[in-house]
Amino acid sequence: PARTTESINISTNIPSSGFQADSVYTITVTANNGGNGSNRIGFMASVEDAAGHAGTLQSTDGRTRITGSYITQTSSGVSGSNGENSWTFDWDAGQAADQSTIYVMANFSNGNGSTSGDVIYSESLTLSKDQGGLSQAETKLPTWSIYPNPVQTFAQLSLPKTQIDALMIYDLKGALLQRY
């Protein structure tokens, strides 16, 4: 059946500046059946970049297990409560590329003991890599103006009401004409 009220939430402790290489982060996947089906909900997840699987997933409790480059629930990890199930695991970013993506599939069971009627739904979360502080807050300079431009004999200089330590005037060749 098609998804109706089912949802998947993916959260991490990756800072807003992005993940760093060779660092370990916690990922939590929460699946909610929205009032449809039973409390039996399973999942499978992977983290991938353009080259394939990125980093290494690590099971941190008895509710999850690693299967190849994927993480999934254990048999005891399918039982949720109040229509919701949640799993937490770690991701070692290794040398993952910028824009790596967490892909999650959840199986919302209807509890009839077969696969008929179960809803399979997917969700993803794209992760940005910390660019190492390449960005920097822009320094706001006070506004000023000089006119007329070009100056022939006299110039009018308009400055903000701030303390000015020195004013130097240069010609077009870069020679200092006047210092005030």
Side-chain angles (χ1 to χ4, degrees):
R3 174 184 161 264
T4 54
T5 59
E6 298 82 6
S7 65
I8 300 170
N9 181 54
I10 306 167
S11 61
T12 73
N13 66 344
I14 295 172
S16 60
S17 59
F19 69 88
Q20 294 184 354
D22 299 318
S23 296
V24 177
Y25 300 98
T26 300
I27 299 171
T28 300
V29 173
T30 303
N32 188 304
N33 70 16
N36 291 329
S38 72
N39 287 322
R40 293 183 57 82
I41 304 170
F43 90 109
M44 181 175 272
S46 68
V47 181
E48 302 177 29
D49 58 25
H53 292 281
T56 306
L57 296 170
Q58 302 166 351
S59 176
T60 57
D61 59 25
R63 296 185 36 112
T64 59
R65 66 186 172 97
I66 301 297
T67 303
S69 296
Y70 299 88
I71 191 158
T72 188
Q73 83 287 332
T74 61
S75 59
S76 63
V78 297
S79 298
S81 63
N82 298 319
E84 190 170 275
N85 204 348
S86 195
W87 306 270
T88 300
F89 51 94
D90 285 344
W91 175 58
D92 183 337
Q95 296 300 308
D98 186 29
Q99 302 300 295
S100 293
T101 302
I102 304 169
Y103 294 99
V104 176
M105 297 288 291
N107 181 359
F108 297 91
S109 171
N110 65 0
N112 70 1
S114 74
T115 58
S116 66
D118 292 353
V119 173
I120 307 294
Y121 176 58
S122 66
E123 189 63 71
S124 63
L125 175 66
T126 300
L127 309 172
S128 296
K129 189 171 188 176
D130 186 334
Q131 300 301 314
L134 294 178
S135 64
Q136 183 176 347
E138 185 176 332
T139 303
K140 180 100 171 135
L141 297 174
T143 57
W144 61 275
S145 63
I146 186 167
Y147 52 91
N149 188 6
V151 173
Q152 293 179 2
T153 307
F154 294 97
Q156 179 74 31
L157 182 61
S158 174
L159 299 168
K161 293 181 180 182
T162 60
Q163 181 178 352
I164 298 175
D165 295 329
L167 177 63
M168 294 167 278
I169 300 174
Y170 295 88
D171 67 14
L172 290 176
K173 295 179 184 176
L176 180 62
L177 294 176
Q178 189 71 41
R179 179 181 170 96
Y180 298 95

